[in-house]
Amino acid sequence: FFKLKKLKQGDKVIVSSKTGRQLTYIVESVEAFTPAEAPMERIFGETGERRMNLITCTGRYSRKKKEHEKRLIIFTKLDGEL
């Protein structure tokens, strides 16, 4: 997930299964939030669409808290099957 920060709006994320099925998701936005500010319903809530949100850590690492200061969220929407 280290390279997720390089994604930008319009990029494709392709998920492949062991059987060869592929799903293509289009990046709609890349946003960073502090844990307290993260829009939980937007990230984890139900939608009428097929979406995949990727989550990783970003920002400075606090040795005291043992965590990064922000969460990087990649919001994607299913484009189609290959």
Side-chain angles (χ1 to χ4, degrees):
F1 274 41
F2 182 77
K3 293 184 179 184
L4 286 180
K5 62 186 173 186
K6 294 183 178 187
L7 288 173
K8 58 188 180 305
Q9 186 177 15
D11 283 349
K12 293 180 180 181
V13 177
I14 300 172
V15 179
S16 302
S17 72
K18 290 181 181 180
T19 62
R21 183 174 182 213
Q22 293 185 321
L23 299 175
T24 301
Y25 291 83
I26 304 298
V27 175
E28 291 191 327
S29 66
V30 178
E31 303 176 48
F33 304 97
T34 64
E37 296 172 334
M40 302 304 277
E41 183 64 26
R42 182 174 166 215
I43 297 168
F44 298 108
E46 289 188 39
T47 69
E49 302 167 312
R50 294 182 177 195
R51 296 185 164 273
M52 176 178 65
N53 298 329
L54 304 169
I55 306 165
T56 191
C57 298
T58 192
R60 293 187 321 177
Y61 181 78
S62 169
R63 291 182 191 272
K64 184 177 180 181
K65 293 181 180 180
K66 297 184 179 179
E67 68 178 5
H68 285 84
E69 65 184 345
K70 293 188 177 183
R71 304 298 177 261
L72 183 70
I73 315 295
I74 313 300
F75 294 95
T76 72
K77 184 176 179 181
L78 184 64
D79 184 47
E81 293 187 45
L82 300 176

